[in-house]
Amino acid sequence: LLDQLPAQSQEPPFVAQVDLLTTSLATAYTNGWIGDRMFINSLNRQLVNARKSLEKGNVSKACTQLQNFLNQLQRVYHNTLERQQKGKSRPKNFLTQEGSTLLTGKTTELLAKLGSLGMIMNVPGQFTTLRAAVNAAKPGATITVDAGTYNELVNIQNKDSLTLLASENVTIQGIRIA
């Protein structure tokens, strides 16, 4: 898994955190906290896809992919616990408490940073103007801006921890940050 990581460079926001999550996945496998090579490959593909989505500036898609990754981890961990409680052997694709703690914690932290817990807003998907998204933003929100030219006056005031993530080929004219 570690060999598949690209060399460090100027990456878009949050790509490095996905790389750290990939490293944690490899660590969990090496330590025997997670099992079955097909399961590992499936999880790794999800992280590779989330990374690609972030590289393209598609934060919403990356959040969905990371949430699916987290859901799969939780399903396998609960299945592992159920089998252990019934005195059965560990399933082929298992996840121990150590692996669950490591991977779930890092994934949840990344999702929170990305604002996936109800704080991602998209222009022009959810809001037709950048101004409307900024006005509706709560503290800690992330606004993703798709490619295009936005000719509007936008005043950003009293917006704690507001993050604007713009894909390539975005021109925003008329922003004033106070």
Side-chain angles (χ1 to χ4, degrees):
L1 297 176
L2 294 176
D3 295 337
Q4 296 176 10
L5 292 176
Q8 292 295 325
S9 61
Q10 283 294 89
E11 298 288 356
F14 306 114
V15 168
Q17 285 91 339
V18 174
D19 291 347
L20 289 173
L21 189 52
T22 302
T23 301
S24 296
L25 180 62
T27 299
Y29 182 70
T30 301
N31 290 338
W33 298 340
I34 190 168
D36 186 42
R37 192 71 182 150
M38 287 178 49
F39 177 51
I40 297 297
N41 289 339
S42 169
L43 291 171
N44 190 55
R45 274 192 305 277
Q46 290 177 29
L47 293 177
V48 167
N49 290 336
R51 186 182 204 286
K52 288 178 183 177
S53 294
L54 287 171
E55 288 172 340
K56 294 177 183 174
N58 193 337
V59 175
S60 298
K61 186 173 182 180
C63 286
T64 299
Q65 291 161 330
L66 289 168
Q67 188 62 53
N68 290 338
F69 173 84
L70 182 61
N71 292 343
Q72 189 173 6
L73 288 174
Q74 291 172 339
R75 275 192 308 274
V76 168
Y77 179 60
H78 289 295
N79 183 44
T80 302
L81 286 179
E82 282 179 16
R83 288 182 63 100
Q84 287 176 338
Q85 289 170 349
K86 292 178 182 177
K88 295 181 178 180
S89 63
R90 207 164 43 186
K92 190 175 179 181
N93 61 337
F94 67 89
L95 182 61
T96 66
Q97 182 176 0
E98 295 88 352
S100 177
T101 300
L102 174 69
L103 297 170
T104 300
K106 289 192 178 293
T107 306
T108 303
E109 180 183 329
L110 178 55
L111 283 168
K113 286 179 182 178
L114 289 170
S116 67
L117 305 175
M119 298 190 319
I120 285 188
M121 307 157 84
N122 179 263
V123 177
Q126 293 171 289
F127 295 87
T128 56
T129 66
L130 185 56
R131 181 183 318 140
V134 168
N135 290 342
K138 304 279 188 238
T142 298
I143 299 173
T144 62
V145 184
D146 292 344
T149 300
Y150 299 86
N151 294 312
E152 54 184 296
L153 179 59
V154 180
N155 287 311
I156 301 176
Q157 296 176 302
N158 302 321
K159 296 291 181 178
D160 295 336
S161 305
L162 177 64
T163 302
L164 293 175
L165 293 177
S167 61
E168 290 184 29
N169 302 320
V170 169
T171 303
I172 302 172
Q173 299 172 347
I175 283 195
R176 186 177 141 252
I177 301 174

